[in-house]
Amino acid sequence: MKTPKTAPPENARHPNSNIAPLAWTAARKAGFNNAVMLDAIGNVAEFTMQNIFIVKDGAVHTPVANGMLLPGITRRRVMLLLKDMGIETIERTIGPAELMQAEEIISSGNHARVYPCNRIGQRDIGVGRIGRRLVTAYRDFAHSKN
C-alpha cells in the first residue's frame, strides 16, 4: 500500500501546494485571476492550480517536471494533443521574464481544463491561434467516446 513515505516523488504532494492558496488570494485582491508560482531557484513552475505553457516562435514551452511542479494528467494530455496537432512541445527551464515576451500563455488543469491566459501583469496578450486550437482539441477529446 502506498503511503506518503513510500510514494514516489511524482505522486507526492507538490512543493507549491501549501503557498498556492495564499498566492491565489493575493492575485485576486490585485485584480488577477491567478498567480504564477516560481520554483525554489526563481524559475517558472506553474500557476497556483494549473500547469503553464508559453508559445514562442510557433513552439510550445512548458517547465520541465523537476519535482517543483505537479506533472498533472491534463498537462500530459495537452502535450499529447500538441504532438497530434504537429506542434513542437519543449520541456525546459523558463525564466519569469519570458512570460512578458510570450506570444501566448496557456494553462491546463483538472478544473479549468485548457484555458488561455489573456493578461500577464499589465500586458494584454489575447487568445492566440495555438490556444484556440488547443481548447478545441481538448474539448473534442473530452467529449469523445474513444
Side-chain angles (χ1 to χ4, degrees):
M1 181 164 127
K2 290 183 182 178
T3 69
K5 291 183 179 182
T6 62
E10 64 270 8
N11 291 334
R13 193 174 168 128
H14 71 296
N16 286 328
S17 63
N18 291 329
I19 60 172
L22 299 173
W24 184 83
T25 299
R28 298 293 291 184
K29 286 181 180 178
F32 297 97
N33 291 332
N34 212 331
V36 175
M37 305 295 294
L38 304 180
D39 66 19
I41 56 175
N43 294 309
V44 173
E46 58 195 348
F47 284 111
T48 57
M49 296 176 272
Q50 299 94 11
N51 292 112
I52 189 169
F53 297 84
I54 66 170
V55 177
K56 181 178 177 181
D57 299 325
V60 175
H61 304 252
T62 191
V64 65
N66 61 2
M68 297 304 294
L69 62 93
L70 185 64
I73 57 173
T74 307
R75 177 181 184 266
R76 282 194 304 267
R77 174 55 54 193
V78 165
M79 293 170 74
L80 289 170
L81 290 170
L82 288 165
K83 182 179 178 182
D84 291 346
M85 293 163 53
I87 298 171
E88 180 182 18
T89 304
I90 302 165
E91 288 185 273
R92 65 175 181 82
T93 301
I94 298 174
E98 292 184 70
L99 298 177
M100 299 308 290
Q101 299 156 353
E103 297 162 23
E104 299 180 52
I105 300 175
I106 303 162
S107 70
S108 74
N110 287 339
H111 178 67
R113 308 294 188 246
V114 176
Y115 196 82
C117 174
N118 60 14
R119 187 173 75 157
I120 185 80
Q122 299 306 313
R123 178 177 169 239
D124 290 326
I125 300 172
V127 179
R129 181 182 62 82
I130 291 176
R132 279 192 296 273
R133 288 182 61 201
L134 191 54
V135 166
T136 299
Y138 189 88
R139 184 184 59 232
D140 291 348
F141 162 77
H143 295 292
S144 71
K145 298 201 189 256
N146 297 332

